[in-house]
Amino acid sequence: MNPSDPGSRIPDPGLLARDRAVVWHPYTQMQTAPPPLPIVRGKGVYLYTEDGREILDGISSWWVNIHGHSHPALNAALAEQAARLEHVMFAGCTHPPAVDLAERLVARLPPGLTRVFYSDNGSTAVEVAVKLAAQYWINRGEPQRTAFVALHHAYHGDTVGAMSVSEASVFTRAFTPLLFSVARAHAPYCYRCPLGLERATCGVECLGDLEGTLARLAGTAAAVLVEPMLQGAGGMIVWPAEFLAGVRRLCDRYGVLMIADEVLTGFGRTGRMFACEHAAVAPDIICLSKALTAGYLPLGATCTTDAVYEAFLSDDRSRTFFHGHSFTANPLACAVALASLDLFERERTLARVARLEAQLRTGLAPLAGLPLVGDVRVIGGVGAIELVADSTVGTDPLTNRRGGPSGPPVGASGGAARYLDEIGPRLAAAFLTRGLLLRPLGNVLYFMPPYVITDEQAAWAIDQIGEVLEEVGARS
Ligand SMILES: Cc1ncc(COP(=O)(O)O)c(C=O)c1O
């Protein structure tokens, strides 16, 4: 039967042909991209295609999945909530799942974060944070505080405000005229240290750039926005905890708000429930999404301190935070998020992440010896391998420069660098043939499976990574 026309005798043209006719995919050059994977089912760490292939989801479906696909407890919570209340607007109404979830989050978040403002994805969680910070200073009678400070290699989402605070890239280029300007300070990208120092002997001097930036903006900075401990889309850059502690210290010293974008890092991805815990810091505002619902449904939460919240309380309506979305605090999403928090306790999820981290450390470390491998980084349930044209000189394959995009050029452009520009899609295709779904970020290959992956499944995936890198290295 043809599912697009149940009464028809015309044979089903197949999901891919129908997709090609009417769908426009994200981040996809529709003219040249290979056909998408037709996924019809998921179970645990596996995805299943229409033609019966079993594929291990090595990137947790864009970093959202933690307890595995189609988990019975999450399915039950979703069905139960759907039978009770699927959705209601959240201005002038409330409902038990939203209140229960806010209570549970406040109890588990770093201390002092006492208010939960819901939205519906990671970008909106960041937009809300930026707008809250901007209006906070107006409400506090310091309207000159309009400047935002973010870091190099930052990625905070694709809406206009989130793009503004993200590092400029090919992804944001077409929208440059729409973006507001943001002051940018060094990130602690130790493999390509912006100051040319070595982590083993440095004193996190890269923080000095943030300090200089805040000093220069004296009295006009509204907030510093960071992805704590792990900058994701910017290249899976793992931080020393001292840098994060330093960000908090500098925000206090200069009296600006600290916004932690934990859209990726929240809910155990870095080995702690929230990445801020690595440095025992509490931000003024935290952004959550992705694994908040264990990857089931879109939901965002921007949580703030009493001090931020109270700046919006007034008899004067103009001090209200005028922001909302049709699906704010969707009850289905909140119910699944609550069931996910239960699983963290019942299945001792953080202990599982610690085991995965140990396995990633021992499994990936030997790859550092391969000629194509410049750096191996592991934090929590994330293992990243930065590929270079030649590990003996540490050339950045995307820019053909040492020391990152701002470093001095090495040799002429082209050659190995151009070869490595193409390496992401080639690696992805090689892994897919072996039944492993990975999606390298430029020259950074990473493995970020759902936490429920077994030791055997993780060992198998690590073997595939090693074998493919050896094959590719031998051919280059
Ligand atoms: C740190 C961070 N912030 C924000 C976002 C945007 O989230 P979303 O894709 O749900 O809009 C992402 C997405 O990858 C992210 O990694």
Side-chain angles (χ1 to χ4, degrees):
M1 187 183 78
N2 184 341
S4 55
D5 180 6
S8 156
R9 292 171 164 224
I10 300 168
D12 177 7
L15 189 61
L16 291 181
R18 288 167 49 216
D19 175 285
R20 185 139 201 89
V22 291
V23 177
W24 190 344
H25 288 267
Y27 302 115
T28 303
Q29 176 41 262
M30 296 298 290
Q31 185 160 305
T32 54
L37 282 173
I39 303 295
V40 292
R41 196 164 66 82
K43 191 74 205 158
V45 293
Y46 292 112
L47 297 165
Y48 296 89
T49 61
E50 194 184 31
D51 54 353
R53 279 176 290 160
E54 179 183 80
I55 298 170
L56 195 150
D57 184 354
I59 53 168
S60 296
S61 289
W62 261 346
W63 320 346
V64 300
N65 195 291
I66 53 177
H67 303 300
H69 291 278
S70 203
H71 192 292
L74 302 179
N75 293 352
L78 178 56
E80 217 171 275
Q81 184 58 44
R84 217 186 298 269
L85 172 69
E86 83 302 341
H87 187 64
V88 64
M89 66 180 170
F90 208 59
C93 298
T94 191
H95 50 77
V99 178
D100 291 348
L101 180 59
E103 286 174 351
R104 294 275 295 273
L105 288 175
V106 166
R108 192 63 184 80
L109 281 166
L113 293 162
T114 52
R115 284 285 159 179
V116 178
F117 188 98
Y118 290 110
S119 60
D120 48 24
N121 61 70
S123 300
T124 57
V126 170
E127 292 281 349
V128 166
V130 167
K131 289 175 69 174
L132 276 175
Q135 192 179 342
Y136 168 81
W137 290 112
I138 293 169
N139 288 1
R140 289 271 312 255
E142 295 190 58
Q144 79 288 356
R145 285 194 175 269
T146 55
F148 283 82
V149 183
L151 300 185
H152 286 294
H153 311 288
Y155 176 74
H156 296 290
D158 282 358
T159 51
V160 171
M163 272 195 296
S164 299
V165 283
S166 301
E167 174 105 288
S169 73
V170 65
F171 294 88
T172 61
R173 194 170 299 152
F175 315 108
T176 307
L178 306 180
L179 308 183
F180 60 83
S181 81
V182 166
R184 212 157 285 282
H186 287 326
Y189 187 177
C190 301
Y191 176 60
R192 300 184 185 284
C193 174
L195 303 178
L197 303 176
E198 292 291 332
R199 178 64 200 116
T201 49
C202 83
V204 199
E205 284 85 349
C206 51
L207 254 181
D209 195 32
L210 179 59
E211 167 134 43
T213 304
L214 288 171
R216 204 173 56 249
L217 293 171
T220 63
V224 174
L225 177 69
V226 298
E227 292 157 87
M229 296 307 294
L230 177 67
Q231 289 182 292
M236 295 296 157
I237 298 166
V238 178
W239 289 10
E242 294 91 323
F243 187 91
L244 178 57
V247 172
R248 178 69 270 181
R249 214 169 40 243
L250 290 175
C251 287
D252 288 341
R253 189 175 304 159
Y254 289 89
V256 305
L257 297 173
M258 174 179 170
I259 303 173
D261 175 355
E262 294 228 25
V263 167
L264 160 62
T265 53
F267 304 97
R269 198 62 81 175
T270 67
R272 306 287 178 92
M273 194 64 167
F274 299 102
C276 282
E277 294 172 21
H278 286 274
V281 299
D284 301 288
I285 301 177
I286 196 168
C287 309
L288 307 172
S289 187
K290 289 195 185 277
L292 169 59
T293 62
Y296 259 57
L297 287 158
L299 182 66
T302 307
C303 312
T304 76
T305 58
D306 281 347
V308 171
Y309 175 69
E310 282 163 11
F312 290 77
L313 302 180
S314 174
D315 293 332
D316 173 1
R317 279 199 75 227
S318 73
R319 291 168 69 124
T320 306
F321 187 50
F322 289 114
H323 184 107
H325 299 276
S326 310
F327 286 100
T328 294
N330 173 254
L332 302 173
C334 292
V336 176
L338 282 162
S340 171
L341 291 176
D342 290 342
L343 284 180
F344 266 91
E345 285 162 32
R346 216 166 52 237
E347 299 190 345
R348 302 194 59 244
T349 298
L350 290 179
R352 175 63 205 130
V353 180
R355 274 244 309 271
L356 175 59
E357 174 167 2
Q359 195 178 3
L360 290 172
R361 283 192 194 285
T362 46
L364 297 180
L367 304 185
L370 295 176
L372 269 183
V373 174
D375 193 28
V376 174
R377 307 188 271 270
V378 174
I379 185 168
V382 185
I385 299 161
E386 180 161 340
L387 304 173
V388 291
D390 179 348
S391 63
T392 58
V393 295
T395 311
D396 180 338
L398 298 184
T399 59
N400 212 32
R401 285 164 187 257
R402 291 180 84 165
S406 53
V410 173
S413 65
R418 209 172 294 137
Y419 161 78
L420 276 173
D421 275 355
E422 299 294 315
I423 203 164
R426 288 180 46 217
L427 286 176
F431 287 118
L432 201 51
T433 311
R434 290 162 174 258
L436 176 59
L437 180 60
L438 297 179
R439 198 180 151 95
L441 294 157
N443 63 316
V444 177
L445 173 66
Y446 68 94
F447 177 51
M448 190 193 295
Y451 310 153
V452 290
I453 192 167
T454 63
D455 293 354
E456 294 71 31
Q457 289 164 339
W460 173 84
I462 291 168
D463 284 348
Q464 307 313 304
I465 292 170
E467 285 171 24
V468 167
L469 287 183
E470 274 183 37
E471 273 173 28
V472 172
R475 266 187 270 129
S476 63

PDB file of all heavy atoms in Angstrom, residues 252-272:
ATOM      1  N   ASP A 252      31.940  38.088  39.537  1.00  0.00           N
ATOM      2  CA  ASP A 252      31.706  38.720  40.847  1.00  0.00           C
ATOM      3  C   ASP A 252      32.502  40.024  40.953  1.00  0.00           C
ATOM      4  O   ASP A 252      31.986  41.044  41.392  1.00  0.00           O
ATOM      5  CB  ASP A 252      32.119  37.773  41.979  1.00  0.00           C
ATOM      6  CG  ASP A 252      31.147  36.618  42.124  1.00  0.00           C
ATOM      7  OD1 ASP A 252      30.000  36.752  41.622  1.00  0.00           O
ATOM      8  OD2 ASP A 252      31.522  35.589  42.708  1.00  0.00           O
ATOM      9  N   ARG A 253      33.773  39.951  40.532  1.00  0.00           N
ATOM     10  CA  ARG A 253      34.639  41.135  40.678  1.00  0.00           C
ATOM     11  C   ARG A 253      34.090  42.322  39.890  1.00  0.00           C
ATOM     12  O   ARG A 253      34.137  43.453  40.343  1.00  0.00           O
ATOM     13  CB  ARG A 253      36.053  40.798  40.214  1.00  0.00           C
ATOM     14  CG  ARG A 253      37.073  41.896  40.518  1.00  0.00           C
ATOM     15  CD  ARG A 253      38.478  41.472  40.150  1.00  0.00           C
ATOM     16  NE  ARG A 253      38.889  40.242  40.806  1.00  0.00           N
ATOM     17  CZ  ARG A 253      39.869  39.444  40.375  1.00  0.00           C
ATOM     18  NH1 ARG A 253      40.535  39.746  39.280  1.00  0.00           N
ATOM     19  NH2 ARG A 253      40.182  38.353  41.027  1.00  0.00           N
ATOM     20  N   TYR A 254      33.557  42.046  38.688  1.00  0.00           N
ATOM     21  CA  TYR A 254      33.086  43.142  37.831  1.00  0.00           C
ATOM     22  C   TYR A 254      31.575  43.337  37.922  1.00  0.00           C
ATOM     23  O   TYR A 254      31.003  44.143  37.180  1.00  0.00           O
ATOM     24  CB  TYR A 254      33.552  42.920  36.389  1.00  0.00           C
ATOM     25  CG  TYR A 254      35.047  43.144  36.279  1.00  0.00           C
ATOM     26  CD1 TYR A 254      35.942  42.101  36.489  1.00  0.00           C
ATOM     27  CD2 TYR A 254      35.559  44.419  36.048  1.00  0.00           C
ATOM     28  CE1 TYR A 254      37.315  42.316  36.447  1.00  0.00           C
ATOM     29  CE2 TYR A 254      36.929  44.636  35.998  1.00  0.00           C
ATOM     30  CZ  TYR A 254      37.799  43.583  36.204  1.00  0.00           C
ATOM     31  OH  TYR A 254      39.146  43.812  36.174  1.00  0.00           O
ATOM     32  N   GLY A 255      30.929  42.580  38.806  1.00  0.00           N
ATOM     33  CA  GLY A 255      29.495  42.795  39.061  1.00  0.00           C
ATOM     34  C   GLY A 255      28.613  42.483  37.868  1.00  0.00           C
ATOM     35  O   GLY A 255      27.601  43.155  37.647  1.00  0.00           O
ATOM     36  N   VAL A 256      28.975  41.464  37.065  1.00  0.00           N
ATOM     37  CA  VAL A 256      28.129  41.102  35.917  1.00  0.00           C
ATOM     38  C   VAL A 256      27.521  39.724  36.147  1.00  0.00           C
ATOM     39  O   VAL A 256      28.011  38.936  36.957  1.00  0.00           O
ATOM     40  CB  VAL A 256      28.922  41.109  34.583  1.00  0.00           C
ATOM     41  CG1 VAL A 256      29.592  42.444  34.352  1.00  0.00           C
ATOM     42  CG2 VAL A 256      29.949  39.990  34.528  1.00  0.00           C
ATOM     43  N   LEU A 257      26.451  39.463  35.426  1.00  0.00           N
ATOM     44  CA  LEU A 257      25.786  38.165  35.560  1.00  0.00           C
ATOM     45  C   LEU A 257      26.591  37.084  34.845  1.00  0.00           C
ATOM     46  O   LEU A 257      27.165  37.326  33.779  1.00  0.00           O
ATOM     47  CB  LEU A 257      24.377  38.223  34.954  1.00  0.00           C
ATOM     48  CG  LEU A 257      23.396  39.189  35.617  1.00  0.00           C
ATOM     49  CD1 LEU A 257      22.103  39.267  34.798  1.00  0.00           C
ATOM     50  CD2 LEU A 257      23.090  38.739  37.053  1.00  0.00           C
ATOM     51  N   MET A 258      26.633  35.908  35.439  1.00  0.00           N
ATOM     52  CA  MET A 258      27.250  34.755  34.775  1.00  0.00           C
ATOM     53  C   MET A 258      26.136  33.843  34.269  1.00  0.00           C
ATOM     54  O   MET A 258      25.300  33.378  35.050  1.00  0.00           O
ATOM     55  CB  MET A 258      28.139  33.983  35.756  1.00  0.00           C
ATOM     56  CG  MET A 258      28.692  32.704  35.146  1.00  0.00           C
ATOM     57  SD  MET A 258      29.773  31.839  36.323  1.00  0.00           S
ATOM     58  CE  MET A 258      30.009  30.289  35.446  1.00  0.00           C
ATOM     59  N   ILE A 259      26.148  33.620  32.954  1.00  0.00           N
ATOM     60  CA  ILE A 259      25.162  32.714  32.349  1.00  0.00           C
ATOM     61  C   ILE A 259      25.883  31.432  31.944  1.00  0.00           C
ATOM     62  O   ILE A 259      26.854  31.474  31.180  1.00  0.00           O
ATOM     63  CB  ILE A 259      24.514  33.339  31.089  1.00  0.00           C
ATOM     64  CG1 ILE A 259      23.858  34.681  31.420  1.00  0.00           C
ATOM     65  CG2 ILE A 259      23.512  32.374  30.465  1.00  0.00           C
ATOM     66  CD1 ILE A 259      23.336  35.439  30.193  1.00  0.00           C
ATOM     67  N   ALA A 260      25.432  30.298  32.459  1.00  0.00           N
ATOM     68  CA  ALA A 260      26.005  29.005  32.073  1.00  0.00           C
ATOM     69  C   ALA A 260      25.056  28.340  31.082  1.00  0.00           C
ATOM     70  O   ALA A 260      23.909  28.043  31.426  1.00  0.00           O
ATOM     71  CB  ALA A 260      26.196  28.126  33.299  1.00  0.00           C
ATOM     72  N   ASP A 261      25.527  28.149  29.870  1.00  0.00           N
ATOM     73  CA  ASP A 261      24.741  27.427  28.876  1.00  0.00           C
ATOM     74  C   ASP A 261      25.056  25.942  29.050  1.00  0.00           C
ATOM     75  O   ASP A 261      26.062  25.444  28.552  1.00  0.00           O
ATOM     76  CB  ASP A 261      25.108  27.921  27.467  1.00  0.00           C
ATOM     77  CG  ASP A 261      24.398  27.120  26.372  1.00  0.00           C
ATOM     78  OD1 ASP A 261      23.711  26.137  26.704  1.00  0.00           O
ATOM     79  OD2 ASP A 261      24.555  27.480  25.187  1.00  0.00           O
ATOM     80  N   GLU A 262      24.176  25.245  29.780  1.00  0.00           N
ATOM     81  CA  GLU A 262      24.366  23.808  30.014  1.00  0.00           C
ATOM     82  C   GLU A 262      23.397  22.988  29.154  1.00  0.00           C
ATOM     83  O   GLU A 262      22.965  21.901  29.544  1.00  0.00           O
ATOM     84  CB  GLU A 262      24.226  23.482  31.511  1.00  0.00           C
ATOM     85  CG  GLU A 262      25.335  24.090  32.359  1.00  0.00           C
ATOM     86  CD  GLU A 262      25.960  23.077  33.326  1.00  0.00           C
ATOM     87  OE1 GLU A 262      25.903  21.865  33.056  1.00  0.00           O
ATOM     88  OE2 GLU A 262      26.515  23.533  34.347  1.00  0.00           O
ATOM     89  N   VAL A 263      23.072  23.552  27.993  1.00  0.00           N
ATOM     90  CA  VAL A 263      22.173  22.839  27.077  1.00  0.00           C
ATOM     91  C   VAL A 263      22.780  21.494  26.687  1.00  0.00           C
ATOM     92  O   VAL A 263      22.092  20.467  26.654  1.00  0.00           O
ATOM     93  CB  VAL A 263      21.890  23.712  25.832  1.00  0.00           C
ATOM     94  CG1 VAL A 263      21.241  22.908  24.712  1.00  0.00           C
ATOM     95  CG2 VAL A 263      21.002  24.898  26.224  1.00  0.00           C
ATOM     96  N   LEU A 264      24.081  21.480  26.416  1.00  0.00           N
ATOM     97  CA  LEU A 264      24.766  20.222  26.113  1.00  0.00           C
ATOM     98  C   LEU A 264      25.228  19.509  27.384  1.00  0.00           C
ATOM     99  O   LEU A 264      25.091  18.293  27.510  1.00  0.00           O
ATOM    100  CB  LEU A 264      25.983  20.504  25.213  1.00  0.00           C
ATOM    101  CG  LEU A 264      27.074  19.423  25.169  1.00  0.00           C
ATOM    102  CD1 LEU A 264      26.524  18.103  24.626  1.00  0.00           C
ATOM    103  CD2 LEU A 264      28.252  19.879  24.330  1.00  0.00           C
ATOM    104  N   THR A 265      25.809  20.267  28.310  1.00  0.00           N
ATOM    105  CA  THR A 265      26.514  19.637  29.425  1.00  0.00           C
ATOM    106  C   THR A 265      25.598  19.163  30.556  1.00  0.00           C
ATOM    107  O   THR A 265      26.013  18.333  31.369  1.00  0.00           O
ATOM    108  CB  THR A 265      27.561  20.611  30.008  1.00  0.00           C
ATOM    109  OG1 THR A 265      26.902  21.845  30.328  1.00  0.00           O
ATOM    110  CG2 THR A 265      28.680  20.880  29.020  1.00  0.00           C
ATOM    111  N   GLY A 266      24.396  19.696  30.623  1.00  0.00           N
ATOM    112  CA  GLY A 266      23.494  19.363  31.726  1.00  0.00           C
ATOM    113  C   GLY A 266      23.088  17.894  31.719  1.00  0.00           C
ATOM    114  O   GLY A 266      23.158  17.212  30.702  1.00  0.00           O
ATOM    115  N   PHE A 267      22.694  17.404  32.879  1.00  0.00           N
ATOM    116  CA  PHE A 267      22.164  16.053  33.048  1.00  0.00           C
ATOM    117  C   PHE A 267      23.215  14.972  32.752  1.00  0.00           C
ATOM    118  O   PHE A 267      22.965  14.008  32.041  1.00  0.00           O
ATOM    119  CB  PHE A 267      20.876  15.876  32.234  1.00  0.00           C
ATOM    120  CG  PHE A 267      19.860  16.916  32.616  1.00  0.00           C
ATOM    121  CD1 PHE A 267      19.711  18.074  31.866  1.00  0.00           C
ATOM    122  CD2 PHE A 267      19.133  16.773  33.784  1.00  0.00           C
ATOM    123  CE1 PHE A 267      18.835  19.074  32.267  1.00  0.00           C
ATOM    124  CE2 PHE A 267      18.254  17.761  34.192  1.00  0.00           C
ATOM    125  CZ  PHE A 267      18.101  18.912  33.438  1.00  0.00           C
ATOM    126  N   GLY A 268      24.405  15.198  33.331  1.00  0.00           N
ATOM    127  CA  GLY A 268      25.388  14.127  33.411  1.00  0.00           C
ATOM    128  C   GLY A 268      26.390  14.009  32.283  1.00  0.00           C
ATOM    129  O   GLY A 268      27.303  13.188  32.360  1.00  0.00           O
ATOM    130  N   ARG A 269      26.254  14.795  31.232  1.00  0.00           N
ATOM    131  CA  ARG A 269      27.099  14.542  30.052  1.00  0.00           C
ATOM    132  C   ARG A 269      28.588  14.671  30.381  1.00  0.00           C
ATOM    133  O   ARG A 269      29.411  13.988  29.812  1.00  0.00           O
ATOM    134  CB  ARG A 269      26.691  15.503  28.915  1.00  0.00           C
ATOM    135  CG  ARG A 269      27.160  15.076  27.558  1.00  0.00           C
ATOM    136  CD  ARG A 269      26.589  13.740  27.087  1.00  0.00           C
ATOM    137  NE  ARG A 269      25.256  13.818  26.533  1.00  0.00           N
ATOM    138  CZ  ARG A 269      24.623  12.788  25.975  1.00  0.00           C
ATOM    139  NH1 ARG A 269      25.205  11.594  25.882  1.00  0.00           N
ATOM    140  NH2 ARG A 269      23.395  12.919  25.515  1.00  0.00           N
ATOM    141  N   THR A 270      28.942  15.561  31.317  1.00  0.00           N
ATOM    142  CA  THR A 270      30.373  15.715  31.645  1.00  0.00           C
ATOM    143  C   THR A 270      30.755  14.913  32.898  1.00  0.00           C
ATOM    144  O   THR A 270      31.836  15.102  33.447  1.00  0.00           O
ATOM    145  CB  THR A 270      30.753  17.192  31.875  1.00  0.00           C
ATOM    146  OG1 THR A 270      30.093  17.646  33.072  1.00  0.00           O
ATOM    147  CG2 THR A 270      30.387  18.071  30.709  1.00  0.00           C
ATOM    148  N   GLY A 271      29.859  14.047  33.358  1.00  0.00           N
ATOM    149  CA  GLY A 271      30.178  13.216  34.514  1.00  0.00           C
ATOM    150  C   GLY A 271      29.576  13.739  35.810  1.00  0.00           C
ATOM    151  O   GLY A 271      29.470  13.003  36.783  1.00  0.00           O
ATOM    152  N   ARG A 272      29.222  14.994  35.855  1.00  0.00           N
ATOM    153  CA  ARG A 272      28.475  15.561  36.987  1.00  0.00           C
ATOM    154  C   ARG A 272      27.087  15.902  36.464  1.00  0.00           C
ATOM    155  O   ARG A 272      26.917  16.128  35.273  1.00  0.00           O
ATOM    156  CB  ARG A 272      29.132  16.847  37.509  1.00  0.00           C
ATOM    157  CG  ARG A 272      30.603  16.689  37.856  1.00  0.00           C
ATOM    158  CD  ARG A 272      30.775  15.885  39.139  1.00  0.00           C
ATOM    159  NE  ARG A 272      32.189  15.701  39.442  1.00  0.00           N
ATOM    160  CZ  ARG A 272      32.903  16.513  40.219  1.00  0.00           C
ATOM    161  NH1 ARG A 272      32.337  17.552  40.784  1.00  0.00           N
ATOM    162  NH2 ARG A 272      34.174  16.266  40.434  1.00  0.00           N
TER     163      ARG A 272
END
